[in-house]
Structure formats: structure tokens, C-alpha cells
Amino acid sequence: MPRQIGDVVLRVEDLHTYCFTRWGVVRAVDGVSFSLRQGEALGIVGESGCGKTMTALSLLRLVPRPAARIVRGRILLEGDNLLEKTEREMRAIRGRRISMILQDPQTSLNPVFTVGNQLIEAIKIHHKDGRRSLVRRAIDGLKQVRVAAPERRVQDYPHQMSGGMKQRVVGAIAISCEPRVIIADEPTTSLDVTIQAQYLRLLREIQEATNLAVIFITHDFGIVAKMCDRVMVMYAGRVVESGDVRDIFNRPSHPYTQALLSSVPTMDERVERLYSIAGQPPALWDLPAGCRFAARCPHADERCRRDYPPSFTAGEGHTADCWRLEDACEPSQFSGPRA
Amino acid sequence: MRAEPILRAEGLKKHFPVTEGLLWSTVVGWVKAVDGISFSIPQGQTLALVGESGCGKTTTAKLILRLEEPTSGQVFVDGKNVHALSGDVLKEYRTIVQAVFQDPWSSLSPRMRVREIVAEPLVVNRRVAAAEVESRVAEILGRVGLRPEQANLYPHEFSGGQRQRIAVASALVSDPKLIVLDEPVSALDVSIRAQIMNLLVDLQKQYGVSYLLIAHHLATTRFMAHEVAVMYLGKIMERAKTEELFKNPSHPYTKALFSAALPAHPDIVREEMILSGEVPSPIDPPSGCRFHPRCPFVMPRCAEVEPQEKAIAADHVVACHLY
């Protein structure tokens, strides 16, 4: 693969994003740390409500206000702490250095403007150029995501395009200002399978051409298996396991990862019965003191319910928050949530 | 020995008119949503209809539920022509064919208690005594993994997985012979999907009910279905027993679907067969084989002659000129 994994471009340290609601404080992101290298693809996997989208929005400082606030942590993009930037400075960073592809092109494009205008709007913020050269850039952008006849297509409105085509336009907007990091939040859930395959291949090609760092937010381990180098599994606001894709698939160490992987039916063999996880994730405003998965975990004991486990190293670059790993290895660092 | 199938569809077609003008509208074309398909489902088995959006799988489901009238062709459930039923026989039909829809947030009425939702098929179509309704609801709720006292709650008090259990309970309460499952798990979270799929498979074994499963996720069909039909633009391209189809996908479109499916492990590398373009409009489907503009194995004949279904093995039919 011509893609080269380079230096760390994004480092997130102990990020906490809380939502202050009338039911109490929802700890949507509760102590998430990770780093992302140039050219790397990182998958953040979890079910709805696990905090994966809030993590992504925090990186862009776009958490829904006033309810949500980033209360603690550092987000270092090429050494700059994004949490110390003013809103004006952030506007110069979004799109130019870090950008995002949203889930549903149906709602993320404005129906009353042509796609060309929407591309130009994004480019104009960062490039003070004449109208003609902006249109030129917009056409180049569409060309880059392989939209056929881009000269004609820039004048189209979103409703004149199919779902796959619209998602390409969203992708073109995201990469139009050559960012270093792209966050793709469930980029293909609204697409059909054959269109999804086209789109994922396109993303891979763009990544190879530009050496972009990509974060895939998904609930689907299939996307991780196909696209990612490393993966982070989130549960109830915390990263419960992270590591190299092959390590996670071959030796999942956290019971939640193990359960998730075995509860998905596969195309390649027939199973009689799927493994199913009993119960549901805990409410984020009323989290248990110990391990958050303890109530659903087949191996949970007294200590799991009482104390949150530290991160243990399960292999090189592979950590999991589970007490069962204590005998097997040393704790890498204490990273449990502070009271 | 082969029993009479529960469901038999013969040459089913549904064309929707495309009109122009507001007051004196004229028909300017037809959307051929379903264009001549035939299949059957034996008792206690599952047939999956697989395909991308716009292939006609949901219209097929509606035709079977009698929510749409076919343009031509017939549906037989239990030997009776569904679209010719009326009066009491129709009411009876409505109890033996039920449906579970994709999104349990919109398919359950927010103003009805679980008891009323589950009991509705009994109350509307069969006059069952109140006491019997009560005990039947309690029994069914137990079967789908809910507690009888939860019958007093409203749908908003449940999670997605539990709501889908309520929908399943409501579909099962009248002892149906066929349940149409329209993407029953795709709106649910991964860890909840397994619960519902296991539940559906268990209930089928227990009650001997047949399922028509509408799905786009191939792995789901491999787990749940006995037979799979792959649809494209209103036609069945390939139909086979599940194991046979997964071992030996033969139609180029089926192969493309399989190659597009996401791998279960990073080391599984599928043969890349990425189709160009998108599904054409069903208003004016391509001539000959509908798949020919996107097919990597296209031959001159494909644009002219529509391929007929051909058996290439026992219980394995393909509509393609390659065979």
C-alpha cells in the first residue's frame, strides 16, 4: 500500500464532554485519549449513545450548545490545543485543517443552493479568490470525487442527484481545503451496498493520494475491517479497548468487544445461534461506579461492580479496560474516571 | 414429500402511473416497481428478498399484505387468492398474515398501551372475549421476552429492542401463518440485533410460522433465511437455497453484491468487483437484461433478449444469458 503512516497529527488527551440536562449530567465523553498519525485510518466503534459522535463533534468544537460542554482535556492538532482557540480561530481551522463528512447527505446539503455554491462557500472561507477561480476549484473538487461531467454538475441542486452522488459532493466539500484530518461519521449508512463499496474505494484512493488521516465513526465492524489500521471500541462514554485492527479481531480482550464481534452474523459461514448480549447500556446520567459493562458482562464479579478497571496492556499498542487482564499483564497507566 | 406452500406468488406485477398536470393529469409513463416475479414459501420456512433500494422488494411486501393491488398476477396464501378475498374471509386473512416493520419508533402508536397494541389483531379481526385477550397478551409478551406487567406501559417507555419485541408480539398474537419482516433489525443497535434475530428464529421453530424477510444485509439473510431471492429493478435475478447461493453465487449482480459486502475480518479480502454507475430508473428500465448496462460480463445479446429463469442446480434458478 503506498499509504505511509507518518507523524502524529492529532492527539486527544483525557477528553471529557458532558451534557447538562434536567435529568442530571450526561457524561457523553468521559476521559477519551488517543492519537492519530498522518495517513492513518482509525475506527471508533460503538453502539448508539456510546459517545462516538460526541467525541467527533468535540474535535471540531461543534458540540451542541448550551447543553453540551467540553469540561476537561486537550485536543492537540499538530501541537495546537484546539480548546484554547477562540471561535474565530476555530473557523479558520475547521475545513482547512480538520473537517468532517456527515452521515446523511440528504440533510447535510442545503436544498436551495446548487452544489457548486455549497462547494464554493466552503472554499471561499479559506481562499480569497475571484468568482471564476472559485468555480474552477469547485469543478476540480467534483472531479476529485469522480462526479461525471463536473462542469455541468456544479449547477445542479441536491435533489437532482442520487444519494451516492450527493455523498460524493459532501466528500468533495470536506476535502476541498486539503485538511490534515477528516472525520467520517457513519459515511455510508444511508447508501446501498454497491454504492457503499464505490464510496469506500473512493475514500481509500483519496487517502492514498493525499496521505490524509481519517477517523471512521461507525457501528459496523465490517467498515473497520475493510478500511481501518487501528480501532477504538467505546462503551458508555469510555474507550474500553483499542489497538491494531488485526489484534482486536484476532484477540479481542474486553468482554464487550468479544460480545460485539460474536453477535454479528457473517456471510462466510452459517451459525446456528448468535451470541447476544443481555440487557442494554447504562443511562449516561446514572453511571455505575465500577465497570460500566459489569451489569451485562458474563465474567463480572464484586470488584468489577465496585471499581473501574485501569487500562491493561494486552499486546503491543493494544490496551483494554478489564480486570480480567490484571494477572496477565501490567497496567499501562491509570486512566479510570475520576470521581 | 412436499406440502402445499403457505405463500405462492405468480407472475406478480405492479406498475405505478407517472402523471403530469394537476387537474387533467395524463399518464406519461409507468414505474415498473415489480415486473413479473414468482416465488413460494413452504410452511415454517423463510424466504429472503435481497436487493438495493428501488428493486421492488418493499412493493412486493405490500402486494402480499394486500396494501397494494397488483397490476397483474396473483398471490395465494393458504391456497386462496389474496386479492379476491372479501368479507369474513378477508378478516381471517388479515389475522393469518402479519407484518413487522423496520422502525419500531414509528410503527407503534404512541397513544396506545402495549396491551392494546398487542391485542389489536385479536380485537379488530376476531371477536375474542376480553378475558381471553388478556391471557393471550400476557402469554405472548412472555414468549417475546417481556414481562406481563409491562402491558400497561406506553411504547415511549421502552428501548428500541424492546419496542421491536412488542411489534413481534403484536404480529404473533393472532397465530399467523406468515409474517412479513421488512428490515426487522436494521434500525437496531448491533448488540440488540442479535437478540431480535435469535428471537425470530426461535419463534419460527416454536410456532411453525413462515417469514418473508426483506433485507439488504446479506449476513442477516444467511443467518435467518432458508431460501434467498435476489431482486434488481423489479425482477428476480437469482433464487436458491441459502447455503447453495452463498457457496455458489452465479448471477453477476449477485456476485457484485457479495463482493460489495463488508468483510467480517480484516484478513478476508474479497475479489473486487465494483459496479460502475447506479441503479437505473424503473420508469424506463434498460432493454433486454435490466442489469446489462452495469454488468462486467455483458454480451451483445444481453441488450436485446431478456434472459429467462433457468435452473442451474437443484433449487437454484438464475436469469442470465451466461448460463
Side-chain angles (χ1 to χ4, degrees):
Chain A
M1 212 181 294
R3 205 153 46 94
Q4 280 176 4
I5 311 278
D7 296 334
V8 172
V9 280
L10 180 74
R11 188 192 296 283
V12 173
E13 292 172 0
D14 200 29
L15 180 72
H16 290 71
T17 305
Y18 292 175
C19 302
F20 298 86
T21 69
R22 62 189 155 122
W23 297 282
V25 178
V26 173
R27 293 192 266 167
V29 181
D30 201 17
V32 167
S33 305
F34 64 92
S35 61
L36 178 70
R37 293 170 179 278
Q38 198 178 3
E40 191 179 40
L42 169 73
I44 303 184
V45 199
E47 299 177 84
S48 41
C50 74
K52 55 192 197 299
T53 296
M54 280 299 258
T55 305
L57 292 175
S58 302
L59 298 182
L60 289 155
R61 294 245 324 256
L62 287 174
V63 292
R65 279 180 301 181
R69 254 194 351 251
I70 301 171
V71 292
R72 192 162 62 229
R74 298 209 299 164
I75 300 170
L76 300 165
L77 179 65
E78 296 169 294
D80 293 345
N81 188 354
L82 298 187
L83 298 183
E84 287 164 358
K85 302 282 179 204
T86 61
E87 183 52 39
R88 201 193 175 87
E89 288 169 325
M90 268 318 286
R91 240 181 268 170
I93 291 169
R94 285 183 207 124
R96 185 86 181 90
R97 291 169 66 191
I98 182 164
S99 112
M100 189 157 180
I101 297 173
L102 292 167
Q103 186 173 129
D104 183 5
Q106 215 72 36
T107 51
S108 51
L109 289 175
N110 188 331
V112 302
F113 290 102
T114 62
V115 298
N117 267 325
Q118 298 185 55
L119 260 162
I120 287 170
E121 188 190 0
I123 301 167
K124 208 160 62 177
I125 296 172
H126 305 291
H127 300 276
K128 302 281 171 271
D129 251 346
R131 176 81 191 168
R132 192 167 297 168
S133 114
L134 285 173
V135 172
R136 191 71 255 154
R137 275 177 193 269
I139 291 172
D140 288 345
L142 290 184
K143 218 176 265 168
Q144 209 180 348
V145 294
R146 312 255 153 66
V147 171
E151 292 83 2
R152 212 153 29 91
R153 284 300 205 170
V154 279
Q155 292 162 31
D156 276 4
Y157 288 90
H159 76 265
Q160 292 168 295
M161 297 183 144
S162 65
M165 203 62 86
K166 273 185 277 198
Q167 193 61 307
R168 279 164 194 256
V169 172
V170 174
I173 293 174
I175 59 169
S176 62
C177 297
E178 295 150 17
R180 307 296 302 274
V181 179
I182 275 199
I183 303 164
D185 187 1
E186 306 267 12
T188 58
T189 31
S190 59
L191 305 180
D192 269 324
V193 271
T194 59
I195 309 299
Q196 165 173 287
Q198 288 173 7
Y199 195 74
L200 291 177
R201 184 160 79 169
L202 175 75
L203 282 180
R204 173 49 58 92
E205 283 169 9
I206 290 172
Q207 202 191 2
E208 279 168 9
T210 57
N211 227 15
L212 200 65
V214 185
I215 300 177
F216 284 95
I217 309 249
T218 181
H219 64 272
D220 191 342
F221 268 108
I223 297 219
V224 174
K226 196 174 171 78
M227 303 294 290
C228 297
D229 307 305
R230 273 193 314 126
V231 55
M232 232 164 79
V233 181
M234 284 188 75
Y235 187 76
R238 289 194 57 86
V239 178
V240 292
E241 182 162 7
S242 74
D244 183 82
V245 168
R246 282 188 174 74
D247 288 342
I248 300 280
F249 275 89
N250 294 334
R251 290 184 304 280
S253 299
H254 196 283
Y256 178 63
T257 317
Q258 292 164 354
L260 265 192
L261 282 170
S262 50
S263 70
V264 187
T266 82
M267 260 182 61
D268 305 288
E269 61 186 333
R270 177 166 169 85
V271 284
E272 273 311 309
R273 219 178 151 68
L274 296 172
Y275 181 82
S276 81
I277 314 175
Q280 292 144 41
L284 292 171
W285 56 87
D286 186 21
L287 289 169
C291 174
R292 287 159 194 195
F293 188 60
R296 303 172 78 189
C297 180
H299 315 288
D301 59 18
E302 229 4 82
R303 180 163 62 159
C304 298
R305 280 183 272 273
R306 197 180 56 232
D307 301 318
Y308 192 89
S311 283
F312 292 100
T313 308
E316 202 189 324
H318 181 178
T319 61
D321 294 9
C322 180
W323 284 118
R324 288 197 311 145
L325 292 169
E326 190 183 29
D327 308 326
C329 44
E330 290 293 298
S332 57
Q333 87 231 39
F334 182 73
S335 67
R338 277 158 268 180
Chain B
M1 185 198 87
R2 238 181 157 158
E4 170 76 0
I6 284 294
L7 174 88
R8 195 151 49 86
E10 283 176 2
L12 210 52
K13 283 189 185 180
K14 177 69 194 178
H15 297 177
F16 295 100
V18 183
T19 57
E20 229 166 52
L22 270 180
L23 286 174
W24 295 273
S25 59
T26 49
V27 175
V28 294
W30 295 91
V31 175
K32 294 175 180 163
V34 174
D35 204 17
I37 63 170
S38 306
F39 57 86
S40 63
I41 309 178
Q43 198 203 335
Q45 301 230 332
T46 303
L47 170 75
L49 291 181
V50 191
E52 296 178 275
S53 41
C55 73
K57 52 193 199 296
T58 299
T59 306
T60 308
K62 285 184 172 171
L63 288 168
I64 284 154
L65 291 168
R66 226 191 114 143
L67 297 172
E68 295 281 1
E69 287 293 313
T71 308
S72 68
Q74 276 119 33
V75 181
F76 296 93
V77 169
D78 227 6
K80 296 189 203 77
N81 185 348
V82 168
H83 294 273
L85 300 178
S86 64
D88 285 347
V89 201
L90 176 59
K91 281 201 165 177
E92 183 55 25
Y93 164 77
R94 296 246 187 254
T95 61
I96 63 168
V97 179
Q98 291 284 335
V100 174
F101 296 102
Q102 175 171 7
D103 183 2
W105 277 267
S106 53
S107 66
L108 303 179
S109 166
R111 304 186 58 165
M112 287 164 80
R113 291 179 193 274
V114 168
R115 167 183 299 111
E116 296 162 322
I117 293 173
V118 173
E120 207 174 22
L122 293 180
V123 177
V124 175
N125 292 316
R126 271 187 201 155
R127 291 188 201 103
V128 179
E132 200 187 319
V133 168
E134 192 72 5
S135 69
R136 183 90 184 117
V137 167
E139 182 204 327
I140 283 292
L141 285 179
R143 285 284 156 83
V144 300
L146 295 168
R147 294 190 308 277
E149 66 269 21
Q150 289 177 311
N152 288 322
L153 303 176
Y154 286 97
H156 74 262
E157 296 173 86
F158 292 89
S159 68
Q162 287 175 313
R163 279 161 173 259
Q164 204 59 311
R165 287 173 194 267
I166 297 170
V168 171
S170 174
L172 265 181
V173 77
S174 57
D175 272 326
K177 295 195 165 138
L178 174 72
I179 301 182
V180 175
L181 304 169
D182 190 353
E183 303 270 11
V185 296
S186 55
L188 305 176
D189 256 324
V190 188
S191 73
I192 311 296
R193 279 183 196 177
Q195 294 176 8
I196 299 294
M197 282 193 268
N198 281 336
L199 174 72
L200 287 168
V201 169
D202 290 348
L203 291 171
Q204 179 167 55
K205 284 188 190 134
Q206 213 169 19
Y207 291 92
V209 58
S210 305
Y211 293 143
L212 175 68
L213 172 71
I214 313 274
H216 68 277
H217 193 224
L218 286 166
T220 306
T221 62
R222 175 148 211 189
F223 175 67
M224 285 188 61
H226 299 90
E227 196 177 358
V228 180
V230 180
M231 285 186 77
Y232 185 77
L233 274 180
K235 287 266 185 194
I236 291 178
M237 296 279 145
E238 182 164 9
R239 186 159 47 86
K241 292 277 177 230
T242 309
E243 285 313 293
E244 163 72 11
L245 186 83
F246 278 79
K247 274 197 203 92
N248 185 19
S250 301
H251 195 283
Y253 179 62
T254 317
K255 286 183 182 163
L257 274 187
F258 276 71
S259 107
L262 294 166
H265 192 282
D267 290 335
I268 299 175
V269 179
R270 293 192 212 287
E271 193 188 336
E272 284 241 321
M273 182 175 150
I274 291 188
L275 296 178
S276 58
E278 305 193 6
V279 183
S281 155
I283 295 178
D284 188 19
S287 61
C289 172
R290 285 155 194 237
F291 184 58
H292 86 261
R294 297 175 80 195
C295 183
F297 308 107
V298 63
M299 301 177 285
R301 184 150 61 116
C302 299
E304 288 151 24
V305 189
E306 176 148 12
Q308 296 303 311
E309 289 194 352
K310 195 173 165 203
I312 58 163
D315 296 315
H316 191 163
V317 206
V318 185
C320 178
H321 286 310
L322 288 173
Y323 299 94

